[in-house]
Amino acid sequence: MEPGRAGCLLLLLLLPALGAAALGEFDPYRVLGVGRSSSQADIKKAYKRLAREWHPDKNKDPGAEDKFIQISKAYEILSNEEKRANFDRYGDAGESQGFSQQQHRQFHRFHDGFYFDESFFHFPFNSERRDTSDEKYLLHFSHYINEIVPDSFKKPYLIKITSDWCFSCIHIEPVWKEVAQELEALGAGIGVVHAGYERRLAHHLGAHSTPTLLGLINGKITFFHNAVVRENLRQFVENLLPGNLVEKITDKNYIRFLSDWRKDNKPHVLLFDHMPVVPLLYKLTAFAYRDYLSFGYVYVGLRGTEELSSQYNINVYTPTMMIFKEHIDRPADVVQAREMKKQLIDDFLSQNKFLMVARLTSQRLFQELCPVKKSHRQRKYCVVLLTGEGEKFAEAYEAFLTFAVANTKDTLRFVHIYSDRQPEFADALLMDEEKYHGRSAVVILERRNNAGKIAYKALEEPWQGSKEDNFILLDLLDQLRTDPGLLSSETVVADLNDELAPMFLIRWFYSTLDYVSDCWDSLFHSNWREMMPLLSLLFSALFILFGTVIVQAFSDSSDTRDAPPSGKEEATAKTEKNDASFNKESNSRIPKKGFVEVTELTDINYTSNLVRLRPGHMNVVLILSNSTKTPLLQKFALEVYTFTGSSSLHFSFLSLDKHREWLEYLLEFAQDAAPIPNQYDKHFLERDYTGYVLALNGHKKYFCLFKPHRSGDEGGTLGSCEDYNALQHAEARGKSSSSPGSRSIKNKLHKLSFWMERLLEGSLQRFYIPSWPTLD
């Protein structure tokens, strides 16, 4: 054999051994701390213990996230029998698990000496070989719930759900990287969810496959269904925004637009640009500042904007942004730049969020304009004009506005308020004195705390806007600068009414419109697994409808063949029919049994009573201990008795002494319902879960949670009912029911019946889980 051919053959024989040696340093058994002969139960127990300890949301160690990823990888290998067998046999689970960058560099130096193509060894499927630009966008469940969702009311988010070994994820990655950088620079939010490590979050978002792209705005999720190209993604984010954020302004409507500051109590912003469509940057800015400013766009290349451009001396070749406040003939502030950047716009708008003399229309606005005093050096005083509406008060308001413009300072904020719209606020400051009735008044105040306590001083005479009034107010402000004790009066004011809040009918209309839009989108784009309950309900209703029509048709045809009854017989028949219908309706609400059938949930009946429950059925499980079994069961039976008429509800109880670990595993999926116990906390094993009630939907893999009533007041009294007699006699015979401790235990289930009503209505929060844990 030739030497060169022999060397190649030897190299090919050595490559698997070298690869196994490189990958062999990642040992899932060592990561989880279990032996090779460990059972699946031991592996699962070790994983749960380590996952609790090293979860990034619980452990603040800098290496917690990497450690948690290794634990997840190790459990993914050992929980799969095929991958575990591959690892035991070849030292590899069929994936590039644990193939670290250092090991790769060592292997890279080895095959560089033999002039192999780099692509032969670089597998792009492993997440560690991917572009690291996604790392700064990674989301965790708690981070998403506590930060991203609230922040979506200020900017829309584009979120990608990805995973390892995903060919399509690799295909869209260049487009995603380009669009993510572009949208982030414009002010949109970007997020990435790794379905392999954040299964709970991926399931919460409704992502059943990877890659999945979705948008989040105002806490609402919208899925992306088009081809992943730059134009489609930009348009998708733009379509998430409301359509009325920016108004098109021309010579015909600019005076009306700028004059609306009296109605909406906001400064108005105009952007002059030569682009025919509103830039996405401007729309995103309008969405972020929609609570403070109104936005308009002027296309300077359009015929019909010449007067507007000439009025404000606009350079048509340079984008110009103007802010108008109380005076529409001249802008309050202007900025020009050849290329408008987000930072420049934010700095410009953040300094002009309020009118010169803004009207207090809500408690939120009052807190922002008149903040609470934090220290002697951070005093903020509000000069408030209490006035009315109409031409009668116009002169006093204009004089106050002129005074405010001439005396603007960092420590002063000038505002006004309509006394007839905020009567409680006005009465607390003016003490309902006769001299201020029908006239304007000026009050200087300082907020002392968030509970409504303020220190203030009112001008002794009503405000008329005369020179004498100006001198008196100016003198008081000068004295206040050196003597804060000038505000000698104190009072407590109630929260302001929200004058600009939309009416109930309008809110109801928009909520209905959103619901119809969601149903329409779900009908054409959602996963069919999610649509099956709705389709089943629809076809069931149609079947019942047509069945009723057919039965009615046959009964009518048979009635026509019979002789018509006499008048007395007809009246008797109608009476019997009405009685029968009434009895039928009443029986549907009355329990079918005279007792409540409550079974213990054990490992024997666990599969049939929960895991394999039919669709639409739920098991309501009471958590109790041996010491609280009798009183809790009696109270539980009384609370749920009226709901036993439903054949879709099953009632059980679970022993906390036997199955505490199973319960704690479920409660981990309930956001803030029960904190995850720390293994170093000596009191976590003593946590009292007695009185908890879980409604378990075995088919859809979710549960609803009732936490016990723990207040010191007495529980609600039950009304008397003949159907409860057997239960009440049983309770009277119980020895523990008469003791105070028994009554306090029973009070844990106070208001459970109201919770059951919400459960049947479907208005309770649902907590989804990947799979039901075993009940050991």
Side-chain angles (χ1 to χ4, degrees):
M1 183 179 295
E2 297 179 3
R5 186 174 300 176
C8 291
L9 181 58
L10 179 59
L11 176 61
L12 291 176
L13 293 174
L14 288 175
L15 281 179
L18 291 171
L23 292 172
E25 293 188 10
F26 179 81
D27 187 356
Y29 293 103
R30 179 172 53 83
V31 172
L32 294 182
V34 295
R36 291 184 176 268
S37 60
S38 300
S39 62
Q40 285 293 335
D42 295 335
I43 293 173
K44 183 178 181 180
K45 186 177 296 185
Y47 165 71
K48 289 170 58 177
R49 176 177 56 80
L50 292 173
R52 290 176 182 175
E53 178 183 355
W54 292 99
H55 196 284
D57 296 338
K58 300 293 180 182
N59 195 322
K60 302 305 180 182
D61 190 279
E65 184 174 354
D66 294 336
K67 181 68 175 178
F68 183 76
I69 291 174
Q70 287 189 354
I71 295 170
S72 300
K73 286 182 178 181
Y75 180 68
E76 184 179 356
I77 294 174
L78 299 184
S79 61
N80 188 303
E81 293 296 341
E82 183 179 356
K83 293 181 180 180
R84 183 178 180 182
N86 288 336
F87 182 83
D88 292 340
R89 189 175 304 170
Y90 307 112
D92 184 11
E95 302 175 353
S96 299
Q97 300 286 349
F99 194 73
S100 64
Q101 295 181 359
Q102 180 180 0
Q103 296 164 349
H104 182 81
R105 286 194 294 268
Q106 294 173 354
F107 196 41
H108 179 67
R109 289 196 297 268
F110 169 77
H111 71 72
D112 276 351
F114 291 91
Y115 305 100
F116 281 104
D117 184 10
E118 185 180 13
S119 62
F120 183 81
F121 292 97
H122 286 193
F123 297 98
F125 310 112
N126 191 293
S127 60
E128 297 181 5
R129 292 302 306 158
R130 282 204 185 160
D131 194 340
T132 57
S133 60
D134 283 349
E135 292 182 359
K136 65 177 181 178
Y137 304 128
L138 288 177
L139 302 180
H140 300 292
F141 185 84
S142 60
H143 174 61
Y144 171 82
I145 295 295
N146 299 324
E147 297 185 24
I148 300 300
V149 172
D151 198 39
S152 68
F153 289 85
K154 298 179 182 178
K155 62 182 178 181
Y157 273 81
L158 182 64
I159 300 176
K160 177 183 69 170
I161 291 88
T162 184
S163 64
D164 290 336
W165 296 88
C166 173
F167 290 90
S168 300
C169 300
I170 300 169
H171 178 72
I172 70 171
E173 200 156 324
V175 179
W176 165 262
K177 180 179 178 181
E178 177 186 1
V179 173
Q181 293 177 349
E182 180 182 0
L183 293 178
E184 187 180 25
L186 296 178
I190 305 296
V192 175
V193 178
H194 198 294
Y197 308 137
E198 287 292 335
R199 297 180 184 176
R200 182 183 178 189
L201 179 54
H203 193 275
H204 176 80
L205 295 174
H208 300 288
S209 61
T210 54
T212 298
L213 300 178
L214 56 89
L216 176 69
I217 189 169
N218 292 332
K220 176 185 174 184
I221 295 173
T222 304
F223 285 88
F224 176 78
H225 301 290
N226 296 327
V228 184
V229 295
R230 175 181 175 274
E231 292 75 14
N232 290 346
L233 289 174
R234 280 179 56 94
Q235 189 63 40
F236 173 69
V237 173
E238 189 168 352
N239 291 339
L240 293 175
L241 300 169
N244 57 350
L245 284 174
V246 181
E247 184 177 352
K248 295 291 185 67
I249 304 301
T250 62
D251 294 340
K252 297 180 180 180
N253 63 352
Y254 82 94
I255 295 180
R256 188 269 308 161
F257 173 76
L258 297 179
S259 300
D260 281 346
W261 66 269
R262 297 182 182 274
K263 296 180 180 179
D264 52 28
N265 195 37
K266 299 177 182 178
H268 285 62
V269 185
L270 283 182
L271 175 64
F272 298 82
D273 204 348
H274 58 275
M275 301 293 293
V277 296
V278 182
L280 179 58
L281 171 62
Y282 195 53
K283 288 186 177 181
L284 292 170
T285 303
F287 180 76
Y289 290 91
R290 68 189 186 281
D291 293 335
Y292 301 97
L293 304 166
S294 294
F295 292 82
Y297 181 75
V298 182
Y299 172 34
V300 294
L302 180 66
R303 181 177 299 177
T305 60
E306 296 86 356
E307 177 185 345
L308 185 59
S309 301
S310 176
Q311 171 75 15
Y312 301 112
N313 194 21
I314 300 300
N315 183 357
V316 297
Y317 299 104
T318 304
T320 305
M321 185 175 289
M322 292 183 172
I323 286 189
F324 295 84
K325 296 185 177 179
E326 285 87 349
H327 301 102
I328 66 173
D329 56 338
R330 61 183 185 276
D333 204 351
V334 183
V335 63
Q336 283 185 338
R338 291 191 175 274
E339 186 177 2
M340 287 286 183
K341 297 289 187 179
K342 180 180 181 301
Q343 187 62 44
L344 175 65
I345 296 177
D346 287 342
D347 294 340
F348 178 66
L349 297 181
S350 61
Q351 298 174 3
N352 296 278
K353 291 167 56 177
F354 305 104
L355 297 170
M356 296 299 299
V357 182
R359 180 162 62 94
L360 297 180
T361 56
S362 65
Q363 184 66 19
R364 179 190 62 83
L365 193 61
F366 181 45
Q367 292 173 350
E368 290 197 54
L369 292 174
C370 305
V372 176
K373 179 192 72 171
K374 296 181 179 180
S375 65
H376 293 286
R377 294 184 178 181
Q378 295 180 342
R379 290 181 177 273
K380 297 288 184 180
Y381 301 103
C382 268
V383 185
V384 185
L385 172 68
L386 294 100
T387 183
E389 302 179 69
E391 294 296 330
K392 176 182 176 181
F393 302 93
E395 183 178 353
Y397 169 77
E398 291 296 335
F400 187 77
L401 175 61
T402 304
F403 182 89
V405 173
N407 294 274
T408 301
K409 297 180 180 179
D410 293 338
T411 58
L412 294 178
R413 176 70 72 176
F414 292 88
V415 297
H416 74 286
I417 194 170
Y418 288 156
S419 302
D420 54 344
R421 296 194 182 187
Q422 307 288 347
E424 295 181 359
F425 186 89
D427 292 343
L429 295 178
L430 302 180
M431 300 300 179
D432 199 20
E433 295 189 20
E434 289 291 337
K435 62 181 178 181
Y436 295 115
H437 284 180
R439 309 176 74 177
S440 301
V442 172
V443 177
I444 306 173
L445 63 85
E446 180 186 35
R447 293 181 65 219
R448 293 297 172 88
N449 56 34
N450 291 319
K453 184 179 179 180
I454 62 171
Y456 71 98
K457 181 177 181 57
L459 268 67
E460 295 182 357
E461 297 298 328
W463 173 267
Q464 299 178 351
S466 62
K467 290 185 178 180
E468 183 180 357
D469 290 341
N470 281 268
F471 286 137
I472 293 174
L473 180 57
L474 185 62
D475 183 57
L476 285 177
L477 294 177
D478 288 340
Q479 295 180 40
L480 187 63
R481 186 171 52 183
T482 57
D483 182 18
L486 183 67
L487 306 181
S488 56
S489 302
E490 290 188 351
T491 187
V492 176
V493 295
D495 290 349
L496 298 179
N497 304 320
D498 193 351
E499 301 177 14
L500 303 180
M503 298 176 59
F504 171 76
L505 290 177
I506 296 178
R507 296 200 302 268
W508 178 84
F509 173 76
Y510 283 120
S511 299
T512 305
L513 192 63
D514 291 340
Y515 179 78
V516 172
S517 176
D518 292 342
C519 293
W520 182 265
D521 183 71
S522 300
L523 182 62
F524 288 96
H525 299 293
S526 288
N527 192 299
W528 283 104
R529 292 183 298 176
E530 298 179 355
M531 293 298 298
M532 286 305 295
L534 180 60
L535 294 176
S536 176
L537 179 62
L538 179 62
F539 282 112
S540 299
L542 292 176
F543 177 78
I544 295 173
L545 177 63
F546 283 108
T548 305
V549 172
I550 294 174
V551 171
Q552 186 68 27
F554 277 105
S555 63
D556 290 344
S557 61
S558 62
D559 291 342
T560 56
R561 292 194 296 267
D562 298 335
S566 62
K568 185 176 180 180
E569 293 174 350
E570 184 177 1
T572 304
K574 288 184 177 180
T575 304
E576 292 175 354
K577 185 177 180 180
N578 292 335
D579 292 341
S581 62
F582 175 78
N583 292 334
K584 183 178 180 181
E585 182 179 359
S586 301
N587 289 335
S588 64
R589 300 179 182 177
I590 296 176
K592 299 178 180 180
K593 303 176 182 180
F595 62 96
V596 182
E597 184 177 354
V598 184
T599 60
E600 182 177 5
L601 196 63
T602 63
D603 55 345
I604 299 176
N605 60 8
Y606 179 74
T607 301
S608 59
N609 285 5
L610 175 60
V611 178
R612 294 183 180 176
L613 272 181
R614 289 178 293 173
H617 286 241
M618 299 189 73
N619 196 339
V620 181
V621 181
L622 168 67
I623 308 301
L624 49 76
S625 61
N626 293 334
S627 59
T628 61
K629 182 176 181 179
T630 301
L632 279 181
L633 276 179
Q634 291 176 355
K635 181 64 174 177
F636 180 73
L638 287 173
E639 291 288 329
V640 304
Y641 179 80
T642 56
F643 304 95
T644 56
S646 175
S647 60
S648 62
L649 290 180
H650 308 272
F651 301 94
S652 305
F653 69 92
L654 185 79
S655 175
L656 185 63
D657 302 322
K658 302 177 183 178
H659 307 294
R660 173 181 289 270
E661 184 178 355
W662 179 89
L663 176 63
E664 289 178 347
Y665 175 80
L666 249 62
L667 293 183
E668 290 177 5
F669 294 91
Q671 178 66 20
D672 294 334
I676 299 175
N678 191 329
Q679 64 169 346
Y680 298 113
D681 184 5
K682 63 179 181 180
H683 300 292
F684 88 92
L685 290 175
E686 302 173 0
R687 187 179 301 277
D688 184 19
Y689 294 116
T690 57
Y692 277 53
V693 179
L694 286 78
L696 310 173
N697 191 315
H699 179 69
K700 291 188 177 180
K701 296 184 179 63
Y702 73 81
F703 66 93
C704 303
L705 179 63
F706 170 85
K707 292 194 291 185
H709 179 74
R710 299 182 182 277
S711 62
D713 56 338
E714 295 182 359
T717 60
L718 292 172
S720 62
C721 181
E722 294 178 0
D723 296 325
Y724 290 163
N725 288 339
L727 293 172
Q728 291 174 342
H729 289 317
E731 182 181 359
R733 288 193 300 266
K735 295 182 179 179
S736 61
S737 60
S738 60
S739 63
S742 175
R743 287 195 296 269
S744 63
I745 292 175
K746 288 184 178 182
N747 284 341
K748 288 187 174 184
L749 298 181
H750 179 53
K751 297 184 179 180
L752 177 62
S753 58
F754 297 103
W755 181 83
M756 290 291 299
E757 290 179 0
R758 293 185 59 195
L759 174 67
L760 296 180
E761 292 170 358
S763 59
L764 290 175
Q765 183 178 5
R766 299 177 178 180
F767 304 103
Y768 288 87
I769 63 174
S771 61
W772 293 110
T774 58
L775 191 67
D776 299 327

